[in-house]
């Protein structure tokens, strides 16, 4: 390999990144610069160094037409070499996930991670500015997911492209090395030319090299005889480069020159058979002319396709094709691709090159292309349908029809804000559309938005005006009065969901479950239909509340690999809630964190508070109060639980007003002795058992019966609380034979679940009762300093003192002696590092805000 001139600093930065990757610190490096600046040469030098150091290297380059094929840009890197990153069987499996981008990205990241298995690895993608949308999305997910791997991602790209968005998306998860390339110095250009010539540069050539303006590609072409030098040239291409290509092609046969010029209109990548059809020449006759172009260093043979060696060479060759000929060729290419069965998507760029305003045939082809790409390349489809809209005239009725498609496809591509802005302009009489805005058009647009507004909790009654029965159903879903049944199947399904949401909010889970299930059985789908996955999310939530927790949990786990990936955050949050209710704290934490990660990747954090609720509950169960406090936000129930954990016994009664949608609400209602609220819930083993425990009070016999009902509910955290109630009541009644085993069962269950905070509480009760064990549960030792170091009684004393109590009044509140309160207070001062009541009060206010019992 020839020496890399003038880039020692940048290469050094890449070598540093490689060393860091080898030490287990994954990162992203982006080499950016204008065409011909030397990005590919720098990437090649990094690849050479990585291979010398024993790195596993996977490399590919994106191409201009990649945006019509999912994963076309990254796939060659994943499949390259004798031992590719992704095996054939796994890669074929990925193809089935093309319509589920999030699941595909997660699966691909998992496969790459397994393949790396500690190997030092370099993954390279050159010309990343042409990456297809799925590749761009996968990169965001995979780079974040593999942040702990011995991996360097290296991209070459033009400035201001998708790599800027990628850097912003992953910059807080992995180190990013951005290397913008500047033109080479005159000395570096001279050295580069000497390397190519294998001798020093003569003065005449040195003068010509001064005209390349530090662009290494132009210098190489000059040395190769393609560039005459023209320092005064202006325009998008140096005139000398164009002249140089003419000189090089002048030595080719006429047929080879025609092949190069025709191919230049196709793009940087093309098929020989397509060019042959346009040239009306047999493919066999073009074999020799093709070889001439390859030998002239204009084209390369990539097997199934041919490519120009550099985009600047293609542009220079295209400059020799008159504009009128280019237009004619683009039209012929579009027809050829369509007749050859390549589809409207392949023809779309060529259609756009020649289409004029009002061209109905072009508009039709672009609409077909957008529909063809919608399932797998929604982002590309959105751009193409927008192009089709721009070709329609502002007063043409067809413009409204295409405008509806623009809104629909933008929503499918999850570009909600862009769709909303477009729809507002379309319906408001702006220059975007000057035709009639009919009631049907308004209803259609509103019904396109309604399912997405419901999913994003944006439904507004005022925005759903109209006589359409489906709009009336959505108004009910947004909170308006429920109308009577509808003959329209979509409207009826929406009404059933609206009724289900109300029943669920009232705790009538069995009724809500049946209504959700009925809505999913709607015989037809159409405009305004609700996403089936989201309806099922509601149904599964209610099934879990009606003695079907294991089955509901199994189904949501299945949906997280086979369901619609756009709804991954909703599924993840539901799974986190159900795993928590089932006592699977580790799985609940993983699901909640996955949901938060997917929200970031899909740019919608509307469900983040729900995920944080579960994470805060898990932190509380583990005794991590500081972490729970950070996650609490303004959630009143989490704040109440924190107050209870900090010793505020009066706060328990506030759990009775816990919202219906709070995770594992029944356990909190049992904790608060909220018999009235428990009685209002749909009958289930959990609600019946919890109500029986509250009703039993301290009656051991009744508690025994109530605990057995709770045992059938498959809710270990609820069962542990019921067993604790039983054990404490039995011990208080002098029945150790019942009380100790009940407490030990609760302790063992909570310890196995990792709920160390309640386990520690029960362990303390057993020890106080004189129970001896060879080994106690692995409850973490209490912290030595800080708020977590305080015992429950010390916390209660601290809270009372911060409210202004004296030792004597605090003693009366706690039914203790004043000297005992003083002992506790001295311990509080020592553990918190304060030496006065004023300092203690300030610390408590900083932690809690107003006094907890205020």
């Amino acid at each position: 390999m020839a020496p890399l001139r003038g880039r020692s600093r940048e290469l050094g930065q890449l070598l540093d990144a490689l060393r860091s990757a080898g030490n287990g610190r994954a990162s992203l490096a982006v080499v950016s610069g204008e065409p011909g600046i030397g990005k590919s040469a720098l990437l090649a030098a990094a690849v050479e160094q990585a291979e010398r150091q024993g790195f596993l290297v996977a490399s590919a380059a994106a191409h201009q037409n990649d945006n019509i094929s999912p994963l076309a840009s990254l796939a060659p890197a994943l499949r390259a070499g004798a031992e590719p990153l992704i095996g054939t069987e796994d890669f074929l499996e990925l193809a089935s996930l093309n319509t589920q981008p999030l699941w595909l990205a997660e699966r691909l990241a998992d496969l790459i991670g397994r393949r790396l298995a500690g190997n030092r690895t370099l993954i390279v993608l050159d010309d990343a500015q042409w990456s297809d949308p799925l590749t761009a999305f996968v990169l965001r997910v995979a780079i974040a997911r593999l942040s702990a791997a011995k991996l360097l991602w290296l991209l070459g790209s033009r400035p201001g492209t998708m790599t800027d968005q990628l850097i912003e998306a992953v910059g807080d998860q992995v180190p990013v090395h951005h290397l913008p390339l500047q033109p080479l110095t005159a000395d570096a250009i001279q050295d580069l030319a000497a390397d190519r010539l294998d001798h020093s540069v003569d003065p005449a050539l040195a003068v010509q090299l001064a005209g390349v303006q530090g662009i290494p590609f132009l210098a190489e072409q000059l040395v190769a005889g393609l560039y005459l030098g023209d320092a005064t040239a202006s325009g998008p291409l140096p005139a000398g480069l164009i002249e140089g290509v003419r000189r090089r092609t002048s030595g080719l046969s006429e047929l080879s020159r025609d092949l190069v010029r025709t191919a230049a209109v196709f793009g940087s990548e093309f098929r020989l058979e397509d060019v042959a059809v346009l040239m009306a020449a047999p493919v066999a006759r073009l074999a020799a002319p093709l070889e001439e172009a390859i030998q002239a260093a204009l084209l390369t043979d990539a097997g199934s396709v041919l490519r120009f060696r550099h985009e600047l060479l293609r542009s220079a060759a295209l400059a020799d094709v008159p504009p009128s000929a280019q237009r004619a060729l683009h039209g012929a290419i579009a027809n050829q691709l369509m007749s050859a069965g390549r589809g409207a998507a392949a023809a779309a760029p060529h259609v756009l090159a020649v289409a004029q305003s009002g061209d109905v045939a072009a508009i039709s082809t672009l609409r077909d292309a957008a529909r063809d790409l919608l399932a797998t390349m929604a982002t590309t489809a959105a751009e193409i349908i927008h192009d089709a809209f721009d070709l329609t005239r502002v007063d043409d009725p067809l413009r409204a029809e295409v405008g509806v498609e623009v809104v629909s496809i933008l929503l499918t591509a999850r570009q909600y804000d862009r769709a909303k802005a477009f729809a507002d302009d379309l319906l408001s009489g702006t220059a975007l559309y000057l035709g009639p805005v009919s009631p049907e058009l308004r209803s259609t647009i509103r019904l396109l938005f309604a399912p997405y507004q419901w999913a994003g909790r944006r439904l507004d009654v005022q925005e759903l005006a109209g006589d359409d029965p489906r709009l009336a159903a959505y108004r009910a879903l947004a909170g308006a009065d429920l109308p009577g049944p509808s003959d329209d199947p979509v409207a009826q399904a929406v009404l059933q969901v609206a009724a289900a949401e109300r029943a669920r909010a009232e705790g009538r889970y069995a009724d809500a479950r049946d209504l959700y299930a009925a809505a999913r059985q709607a015989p037809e789908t159409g405009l305004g239909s609700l996403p089936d996955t989201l309806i099922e999310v509601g149904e599964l939530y209610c099934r879990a509340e009606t003695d079907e927790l294991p089955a509901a949990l199994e189904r949501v786990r299945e949906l997280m690999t086979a369901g619609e990936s756009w709804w991954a955050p909703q599924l993840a949050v539901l799974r986190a809630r159900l795993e928590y209710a089932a006592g699977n704290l580790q799985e609940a934490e993983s699901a909640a964190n996955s949901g938060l990660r997917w929200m970031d990747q899909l740019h919608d954090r509307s469900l983040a508070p729900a995920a944080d609720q579960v994470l805060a509950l898990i932190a509380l169960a583990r005794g991590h109060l500081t972490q729970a406090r950070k996650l609490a936000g303004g959630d009143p129930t989490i704040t109440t639980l924190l107050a209870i954990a900090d010793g505020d016994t009066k706060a328990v009664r506030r759990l009775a007003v816990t919202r219906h949608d709070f995770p594992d609400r029944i356990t909190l209602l049992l904790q608060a002795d909220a018999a009235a609220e428990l009685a209002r819930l749909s009958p289930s083993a959990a609600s019946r058992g919890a109500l029986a425990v509250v009703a039993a009070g301290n009656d051991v016999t009744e508690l025994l019966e109530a605990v057995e009902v709770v045992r059938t509910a498959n809710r270990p955290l609820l069962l542990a609380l019921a067993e604790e109630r039983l054990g404490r009541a039995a011990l208080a009644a002098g029945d150790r034979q019942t009380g100790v085993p009940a407490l030990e069962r609760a302790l063992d269950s909570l310890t196995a679940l990792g709920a160390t905070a309640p386990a520690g509480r029960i362990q303390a009760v057993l020890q106080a009762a004189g129970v001896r064990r060879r080994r106690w549960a692995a409850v973490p030792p209490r912290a030595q300093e800080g708020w977590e170091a305080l015992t429950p009684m010390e916390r209660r004393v601290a809270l009372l003192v911060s409210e202004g109590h004296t030792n004597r009044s605090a003693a009366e509140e706690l039914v203790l002696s004043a000297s005992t309160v003083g002992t506790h207070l001295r311990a509080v001062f020592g553990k918190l590092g304060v030496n006065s009541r004023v300092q203690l009060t300030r610390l408590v206010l900083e932690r809690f805000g107003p006094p907890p019992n205020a």
Side-chain angles (χ1 to χ4, degrees):
M1 181 176 177
L4 184 67
R5 298 297 186 179
R7 302 294 187 204
S8 57
R9 180 181 63 83
E10 292 87 351
L11 182 57
Q13 289 178 268
L14 291 182
L15 293 179
D16 287 342
L18 278 172
R19 279 190 288 271
S20 294
N23 293 326
R25 186 165 174 76
S27 63
L28 166 66
V30 176
V31 177
S32 63
E34 300 300 333
I37 200 70
K39 301 184 295 293
S40 298
L42 182 56
L43 266 57
V47 166
E48 181 185 32
Q49 293 294 327
E51 289 174 337
R52 286 181 179 178
Q53 296 176 31
F55 274 68
L56 174 65
V57 176
S59 182
H63 300 284
Q64 280 179 305
N65 59 350
D66 283 356
N67 67 345
I68 63 172
S69 301
L71 214 60
S73 305
L74 188 59
L78 304 177
R79 299 287 297 129
E83 297 182 7
L85 292 180
I86 306 293
T88 301
E89 184 176 342
D90 289 328
F91 190 76
L92 292 175
E93 175 200 334
L94 289 175
S96 65
L97 298 175
N98 282 344
T99 59
Q100 305 292 343
L102 194 54
W103 297 153
L104 184 146
E106 290 283 332
R107 175 62 175 154
L108 190 145
D110 181 59
L111 290 171
I112 294 176
R114 293 185 188 181
R115 173 67 178 86
L116 300 187
N119 290 317
R120 297 178 301 162
T121 307
L122 173 66
I123 299 180
V124 182
L125 180 62
D126 199 2
D127 286 326
Q129 72 274 1
W130 286 325
S131 295
D132 64 276
L134 186 55
T135 287
F137 181 75
V138 163
L139 285 172
R140 290 202 304 272
V141 175
I143 291 174
R145 276 287 308 276
L146 300 173
S147 59
K150 297 180 178 180
L151 172 61
L152 174 63
W153 301 84
L154 177 55
L155 276 57
S157 177
R158 295 180 186 175
T161 60
M162 75 84 163
T163 50
D164 291 349
Q165 299 173 350
L166 180 63
I167 290 171
E168 182 178 354
V170 305
D172 60 344
Q173 300 177 68
V174 297
V176 175
H177 315 276
H178 188 196
L179 286 69
L181 298 188
Q182 302 300 324
L184 292 179
T185 64
D187 288 343
I189 288 290
Q190 298 262 351
D191 291 340
L192 184 151
D195 293 335
R196 301 298 183 268
L197 292 168
D198 202 23
H199 60 71
S200 60
V201 173
D202 61 53
L205 180 56
V207 173
Q208 291 181 306
L209 286 171
V212 305
Q213 301 176 345
I215 307 299
F217 175 78
L218 298 184
E220 290 177 351
Q221 299 309 312
L222 185 151
V223 172
L226 292 179
Y227 181 41
L228 297 178
D230 186 354
T232 63
S234 61
L237 286 174
L241 178 59
I242 297 172
E243 182 60 30
V245 170
R246 287 175 183 156
R247 290 184 59 213
R248 179 57 61 94
T249 56
S250 67
L252 305 179
S253 66
E254 183 177 351
L255 196 55
S256 182
R257 290 197 299 274
D258 289 345
L259 185 152
V260 169
R261 290 167 183 161
T262 304
V265 181
F266 260 99
S268 59
E269 183 178 279
F270 59 95
R271 297 187 185 188
L272 183 61
E273 56 267 37
D274 291 332
V275 173
V277 171
L278 286 180
M279 295 178 64
V283 172
R285 189 181 170 204
L286 294 181
L290 172 62
E291 184 60 28
E292 291 180 58
I294 292 173
Q295 290 299 320
L298 296 171
L299 303 177
T300 61
D301 192 337
S304 60
V305 294
L306 296 159
R307 298 187 181 115
F308 278 86
R309 290 182 65 88
H310 197 284
E311 176 60 19
L312 288 175
L313 290 177
R314 184 189 78 85
S315 298
L318 189 62
D320 258 358
V321 182
S324 57
Q326 289 186 38
R327 288 183 57 80
L329 280 170
H330 278 300
I333 290 170
N335 292 334
Q336 157 61 16
L337 293 174
M338 294 288 286
S339 62
R342 304 285 172 73
H350 302 286
V351 170
L352 280 170
V354 298
Q356 296 182 343
S357 178
D359 187 334
V360 176
I363 293 168
S364 176
T365 300
L366 293 175
R367 293 174 73 182
D368 288 343
R371 295 185 196 112
D372 291 346
L373 291 169
L374 185 57
T376 57
M377 302 289 284
T379 302
T380 301
E383 300 308 317
I384 291 177
I385 194 63
H386 218 298
D387 289 332
F389 179 83
D390 289 341
L391 287 175
T392 60
R393 295 192 175 95
V394 294
D395 56 350
D396 189 336
L398 179 63
R399 193 168 177 87
E401 183 180 325
V402 180
V404 168
E405 283 192 78
V406 173
V407 173
S408 176
I409 291 176
L410 285 172
L411 288 171
T412 303
R414 297 315 191 266
Q415 297 182 27
Y416 181 88
D417 291 340
R418 187 179 172 192
K420 186 71 168 61
F422 180 90
D424 289 344
D425 283 345
L426 189 70
L427 298 177
S428 60
T430 66
L432 187 72
Y433 172 58
L434 300 180
V437 178
S438 65
E440 291 77 17
L441 177 59
R442 289 189 182 277
S443 295
T444 298
I445 295 292
R446 286 168 176 158
L447 286 171
L448 284 173
F449 276 95
Y452 296 92
Q453 290 172 323
W454 177 61
R457 303 181 182 182
R458 302 186 187 96
L459 274 177
D460 186 313
V461 173
Q462 302 303 319
E463 293 183 3
L464 297 165
D467 297 331
D468 190 291
R470 300 182 185 185
L471 285 174
Y474 271 103
R475 287 196 293 273
L477 191 54
D481 292 339
L482 281 168
S486 173
D487 294 333
D488 183 291
V490 172
Q492 182 59 25
V494 174
L495 287 173
Q496 288 168 325
V497 171
E501 300 270 276
R502 297 179 190 204
R504 173 176 161 180
E506 295 167 3
R508 295 185 289 110
Y509 298 117
D511 293 341
R513 174 201 61 199
D514 295 342
L515 286 163
Y516 283 126
R520 292 181 58 225
Q521 299 304 315
E524 296 180 23
T525 59
L527 181 65
S529 295
L530 290 170
D532 184 76
T533 298
L534 291 193
I535 300 176
E536 189 171 7
V537 164
E539 179 187 347
L540 291 172
Y541 177 94
C542 296
R543 286 178 61 190
E545 297 293 331
T546 53
D547 290 337
E548 297 182 66
L549 177 58
L553 188 50
E554 185 62 31
R555 175 58 179 161
V556 76
R557 289 170 181 165
E558 178 185 333
L559 285 173
M560 287 188 69
T561 57
E564 170 60 67
S565 71
W566 288 112
W567 309 122
Q570 286 88 341
L571 292 168
V573 169
L574 175 61
R575 180 177 177 184
R577 295 174 63 101
L578 300 192
E579 296 281 12
Y580 177 80
N584 305 324
L585 303 190
Q586 192 66 42
E587 290 82 355
E589 181 180 41
S590 176
N593 283 323
S594 293
L596 289 169
R597 185 175 71 248
W598 293 335
M599 291 175 213
D600 288 336
Q601 290 160 359
L602 298 175
H603 307 294
D604 182 358
R605 290 187 58 84
S606 58
L607 289 174
D612 286 342
Q613 272 184 340
V614 177
L615 292 172
L617 287 170
I618 295 167
L620 281 163
R622 291 171 175 168
H624 301 160
L625 302 188
T626 299
Q627 181 182 357
R629 202 173 304 282
K630 291 177 181 177
L631 293 163
D635 190 295
T637 302
I638 300 296
T639 303
T640 297
L641 290 170
L642 282 163
I644 295 169
D646 284 328
D648 182 2
T649 56
K650 295 180 180 178
V652 174
R653 62 177 179 265
R654 298 205 298 266
L655 295 178
V657 295
T658 299
R659 287 167 52 99
H660 282 279
D661 60 353
F662 194 85
D664 203 20
R665 177 172 178 255
I666 292 176
T667 299
L668 303 184
L669 295 179
L670 171 56
Q671 194 172 343
D673 288 331
E677 290 298 322
L678 286 167
R680 293 189 184 98
L681 298 177
S682 291
S684 67
S687 62
R688 289 196 310 272
L691 182 58
V693 170
V694 172
N698 291 323
D699 188 305
V700 175
T701 302
E702 291 185 13
L703 281 171
L704 279 167
E705 295 175 357
V707 166
E708 290 309 308
V709 177
V710 175
R711 197 179 306 283
T712 64
N714 296 300
R715 293 185 179 233
L717 295 174
L718 179 65
L719 178 59
L721 180 57
E723 293 265 33
E724 182 183 2
R725 288 276 187 109
L726 170 62
R728 286 176 180 268
L731 286 180
D735 185 357
R736 291 177 61 86
Q737 188 174 359
T738 299
V740 170
L743 290 170
E744 288 185 324
R745 286 192 298 271
L747 173 62
D748 292 341
S749 173
L750 292 169
T751 302
L753 297 174
T756 52
R761 182 182 67 230
I762 293 172
Q763 179 174 305
V765 174
L766 285 168
Q767 289 172 329
V771 176
R772 300 290 180 263
R773 280 189 172 190
R774 181 170 298 177
R775 291 190 62 184
W776 284 99
V779 176
R782 187 180 301 277
Q784 297 301 306
E785 59 184 21
W787 192 263
E788 281 74 14
L790 304 185
T791 66
M793 184 57 71
E794 289 167 353
R795 291 176 185 171
R796 294 177 68 187
V797 168
L799 293 172
L800 288 171
V801 169
S802 73
E803 294 173 11
H805 281 273
T806 65
N807 285 12
R808 184 174 298 280
S809 64
E812 292 173 356
E813 182 83 12
L814 298 172
V815 195
L816 297 172
S817 69
S819 62
T820 301
V821 169
T823 300
H824 286 311
L825 187 57
R826 285 191 295 275
V828 169
F829 281 6
K831 291 177 181 179
L832 297 182
V834 299
N835 53 28
S836 72
R837 291 172 181 264
V838 172
Q839 289 179 344
L840 173 61
T841 301
R842 184 180 298 117
L843 187 150
V844 171
L845 288 174
E846 288 174 355
R847 184 176 180 87
F848 295 102
N853 291 327

